[in-house]
């Protein structure tokens, strides 16, 4: 018994010594790790204690004011058109062509208190009857003041019995990618619908044609059928675009929508009101947007900008000294990375406007002030592109008046060459009417019946006057 007690006592004393050694030696060596961890915590806390006033990722802008200022100025547009119905034996026997009414709907934006409304051309195209319903459920007959199919913009007018709420134009050039926007319209006939998103891209072209004129604002705000012609506004409620199209295989919204920039829409409206049509200003250059493939093809190192392939004679670009082979980098401080950037900015300008062009030539950067000229070119079917003829052009072909062929249609170039017709030839008359300028040609073509043959009179390179009939 005494031996057992002695053994227990010895074990206890040994344990006490072991514990004391651990506390004094081992635990003391690990202690700095704990202190170091605690010391880092105040630094992390302190960086978040001061409010800098910047937006946080989890904060969402307040859209209520912008929505309230917009919904009352966005209208519901109804368009009744007539289309061919199914023909019966009785219709065939009596020589009748049955027609049926079709109802189309869209949106529009009131831009003046006295009732001017901007919408899409495709919303009102071929209309037999137009009506506009306001957000207060009042309905008015609408008149088409003017349209521009090229930009898909139309201007309407209603006669209201009171001043109407309006949306003010913003500057679409200053809109930034990533900026919050609201789309306001009437999708699926659901009036006064507001959706939110951000600007996903600018100067977007949907055609796939490198020389197309499209230059849309792309957003991810939900836009569906019926939204066409509605407002795209920023968080201040300012109009920065007219909703126009969606990218979809189903016909409904699947992620992206597109709007005509407000600066283009405003310019179209002003031209319609002042001139009755759109006055386009052009630099007077043609060419191609650069990328790796095109740069390699024309054997240059630069892959960004607009490569000038040719300069139109008597144009502002020629007078400013721009030459073939120059690469346009900026216009009015707007970077030119693709043709849509160039065309989008020029679409906001008119003839006589001055633009500042920055371009590269042989590695040196140059600037020039270019006066835009009126677009005096058009396409004459089967012939090609035509333009106004100068006195020098007319003298060369001994013509009193006419328009000049500036580019032959590639499909018929071989045919024309066999008949002595080349670039520079003068077209003197169309459908029996003498022409002096491009406007004359466009008026004749517009008024021609759809089944009427096209009769063209021109002077070939031998100075001989020839006549051609096309069906």
């Amino acid at each position: 018994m005494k031996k057992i007690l002695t053994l227990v006592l010895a074990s206890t004393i040994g344990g006490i010594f072991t514990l004391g050694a651990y506390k004094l030696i081992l635990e003391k060596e690990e202690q700095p790790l704990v202190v170091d961890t605690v010391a880092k915590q105040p630094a992390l806390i302190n960086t978040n204690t001061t409010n800098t006033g910047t937006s946080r990722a989890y904060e969402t802008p307040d859209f209520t004011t912008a929505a309230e200022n917009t919904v009352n100025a966005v209208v519901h547009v109804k368009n009744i058109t007539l289309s061919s119905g199914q023909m019966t034996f009785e219709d065939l026997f009596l020589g009748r062509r049955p027609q049926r009414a079709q109802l189309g709907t869209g949106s529009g934006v009131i831009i003046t208190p006295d009732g001017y409304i901007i919408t899409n051309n495709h919303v009102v195209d071929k209309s037999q009857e137009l009506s506009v319903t306001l957000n207060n459920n009042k309905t008015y007959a609408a008149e088409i003041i003017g349209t521009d199919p090229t930009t898909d913009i139309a201007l309407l007018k209603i006669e209201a019995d009171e001043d109407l709420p309006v949306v003010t134009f913003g500057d679409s050039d200053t809109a930034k990618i990533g900026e919050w926007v609201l789309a306001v319209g009437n999708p699926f006939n659901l009036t006064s619908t507001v959706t939110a998103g951000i600007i996903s891209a600018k100067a977007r072209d949907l055609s796939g044609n490198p020389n197309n004129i499209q230059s849309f604002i792309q957003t991810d705000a939900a836009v569906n059928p019926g939204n066409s012609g509605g407002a795209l506004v920023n968080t201040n409620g300012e109009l920065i675009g007219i909703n126009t199209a969606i990218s979809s295989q189903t016909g409904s919204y699947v992620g992206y929508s597109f709007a005509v920039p407000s600066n283009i829409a405003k310019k179209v409206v002003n031209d319609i009101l002042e001139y009755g049509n759109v006055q386009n200003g052009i630099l007077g250059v043609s060419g191609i947007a650069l990328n790796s493939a095109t740069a390699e093809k024309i054997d240059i190192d630069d892959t960004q900008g607009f490569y000038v392939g040719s300069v139109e004679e008597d144009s502002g670009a020629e007078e400013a000294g721009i030459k073939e082979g120059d690469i346009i980098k900026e216009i009015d401080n707007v970077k030119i990375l693709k043709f849509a950037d160039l065309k989008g900015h020029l679409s906001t300008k008119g003839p006589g406007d001055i633009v500042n062009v920055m371009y590269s030539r042989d590695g040196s950067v140059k600037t020039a002030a270019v006066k835009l000229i009126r677009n005096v070119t058009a396409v004459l079917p089967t012939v090609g592109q035509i333009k106004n003829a100068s006195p020098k052009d007319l003298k060369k072909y001994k013509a009193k008046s006419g328009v000049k062929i500036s580019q032959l249609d590639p499909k018929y170039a071989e045919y024309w060459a066999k008949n002595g017709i080349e670039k520079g030839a003068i077209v003197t008359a169309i459908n029996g009417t003498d022409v002096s300028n491009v406007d004359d040609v466009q008026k004749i073509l517009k008024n021609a019946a759809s089944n009427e043959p096209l009769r063209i009179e021109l002077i070939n390179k031998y100075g001989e006057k020839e006549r051609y009939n096309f069906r």
Side-chain angles (χ1 to χ4, degrees), residues 307-324:
Y307 180 83
V308 177
S310 63
V311 180
E312 188 174 326
E313 58 184 346
D314 302 322
S315 68
E318 184 184 57
E319 291 181 4
I322 295 176
K323 299 179 179 180
E324 178 183 344

Side-chain angles (χ1 to χ4, degrees), residues 37-54:
T37 302
V38 173
K40 288 184 179 179
Q41 290 178 353
L44 294 174
I45 295 171
N46 288 340
T47 58
N48 292 324
T49 55
T50 303
N51 185 0
T52 62
T54 58

Side-chain angles (χ1 to χ4, degrees), residues 255-399:
Y256 294 112
S257 54
F258 304 90
V260 177
S262 62
N263 287 2
I264 294 178
K266 180 168 64 173
K267 194 261 181 184
V268 169
V269 167
N270 288 338
D271 281 356
I272 289 174
L273 288 173
E274 186 171 355
Y275 305 106
N277 55 29
V278 178
Q279 304 288 305
N280 293 315
I282 61 172
L283 277 177
V285 299
S286 61
I288 190 168
L290 291 175
N291 54 35
S292 296
T294 54
E296 183 179 357
K297 186 176 181 180
I298 58 182
D299 194 25
I300 61 174
D301 295 328
D302 209 334
T303 59
Q304 289 188 332
F306 182 82
Y307 180 83
V308 177
S310 63
V311 180
E312 188 174 326
E313 58 184 346
D314 302 322
S315 68
E318 184 184 57
E319 291 181 4
I322 295 176
K323 299 179 179 180
E324 178 183 344
D326 291 343
I327 301 172
I328 297 175
K329 294 292 189 178
E330 292 184 3
I331 296 183
D332 294 336
N333 297 320
V334 176
K335 288 187 177 181
I336 306 301
L337 302 179
K338 51 187 179 296
F339 185 73
D341 295 324
L342 177 68
K343 185 59 184 176
H345 185 70
L346 293 180
S347 294
T348 67
K349 306 295 181 180
D353 287 347
I354 306 292
V355 295
N356 294 309
V357 179
M358 186 177 82
Y359 61 96
S360 171
R361 178 184 295 168
D362 299 327
S364 299
V365 176
K366 301 176 179 291
T367 58
V370 180
K371 184 176 182 179
L372 302 182
I373 62 172
R374 184 168 175 260
N375 185 12
V376 288
T377 63
V379 174
L380 182 59
T382 70
V383 174
Q385 186 168 289
I386 58 171
K387 61 177 292 186
N388 288 345
S390 67
K392 182 179 177 181
D393 296 326
L394 296 175
K395 184 178 179 180
K396 178 181 177 181
Y397 286 86
K398 298 179 181 180

Side-chain angles (χ1 to χ4, degrees), residues 31-331:
Q31 195 170 5
L33 295 176
V34 178
V35 173
D36 189 56
T37 302
V38 173
K40 288 184 179 179
Q41 290 178 353
L44 294 174
I45 295 171
N46 288 340
T47 58
N48 292 324
T49 55
T50 303
N51 185 0
T52 62
T54 58
S55 298
R56 299 181 177 88
Y58 54 82
E59 291 181 342
T60 302
D62 183 0
F63 299 121
T64 56
T65 301
E68 289 171 359
N69 293 340
T70 307
V71 290
N72 292 316
V74 174
V75 301
H76 197 195
V77 179
K78 294 182 180 179
N79 172 12
I80 296 177
T81 60
L82 296 178
S83 62
S84 298
Q86 187 173 0
M87 185 174 288
T88 64
F89 283 109
E90 183 180 359
D91 294 325
L92 186 62
F93 179 76
L94 297 176
R96 297 183 309 197
R97 180 170 293 180
Q99 292 183 320
R100 58 190 179 93
Q102 284 188 321
L103 175 64
T105 62
S107 304
V109 184
I110 305 173
I111 56 174
T112 65
D114 59 344
Y116 281 100
I117 297 170
I118 189 170
T119 185
N120 285 143
N121 176 68
H122 75 261
V123 170
V124 300
D125 189 35
K126 300 178 181 178
S127 64
Q128 299 294 318
E129 183 181 331
L130 271 179
S131 64
V132 165
T133 301
L134 308 185
N135 198 40
N136 60 9
N137 294 325
K138 290 185 177 181
T139 299
Y140 299 91
E143 173 191 3
I144 298 177
I145 302 300
T147 63
D148 181 40
T150 301
T151 56
D152 200 12
I153 292 295
L155 182 65
L156 312 181
K157 181 70 166 63
I158 62 173
E159 299 298 334
D161 50 8
E162 58 185 342
D163 284 349
L164 302 175
V166 302
V167 177
T168 57
F169 279 96
D171 185 355
S172 55
D173 285 346
T174 61
K176 297 180 179 180
I177 295 174
E179 179 181 339
W180 282 101
V181 288
L182 295 180
V184 186
N186 306 283
F188 306 118
N189 289 325
L190 302 172
T191 58
S192 305
T193 297
V194 180
T195 55
I198 63 169
I199 296 176
S200 307
K202 295 178 67 177
R204 182 67 80 199
D205 172 29
L206 305 181
S207 69
N209 182 350
N211 293 319
N212 198 273
I213 62 169
Q214 292 180 346
S215 185
F216 292 122
I217 295 174
Q218 177 184 324
T219 80
D220 63 358
V223 169
N224 279 293
N227 265 119
S228 290
L232 185 73
V233 300
N234 58 24
T235 53
N236 295 324
E238 298 168 333
L239 186 69
I240 62 168
I242 300 297
N243 295 316
T244 298
I246 59 176
S247 179
S248 172
Q249 294 180 338
T250 64
S252 297
Y253 174 78
V254 293
Y256 294 112
S257 54
F258 304 90
V260 177
S262 62
N263 287 2
I264 294 178
K266 180 168 64 173
K267 194 261 181 184
V268 169
V269 167
N270 288 338
D271 281 356
I272 289 174
L273 288 173
E274 186 171 355
Y275 305 106
N277 55 29
V278 178
Q279 304 288 305
N280 293 315
I282 61 172
L283 277 177
V285 299
S286 61
I288 190 168
L290 291 175
N291 54 35
S292 296
T294 54
E296 183 179 357
K297 186 176 181 180
I298 58 182
D299 194 25
I300 61 174
D301 295 328
D302 209 334
T303 59
Q304 289 188 332
F306 182 82
Y307 180 83
V308 177
S310 63
V311 180
E312 188 174 326
E313 58 184 346
D314 302 322
S315 68
E318 184 184 57
E319 291 181 4
I322 295 176
K323 299 179 179 180
E324 178 183 344
D326 291 343
I327 301 172
I328 297 175
K329 294 292 189 178
E330 292 184 3
I331 296 183

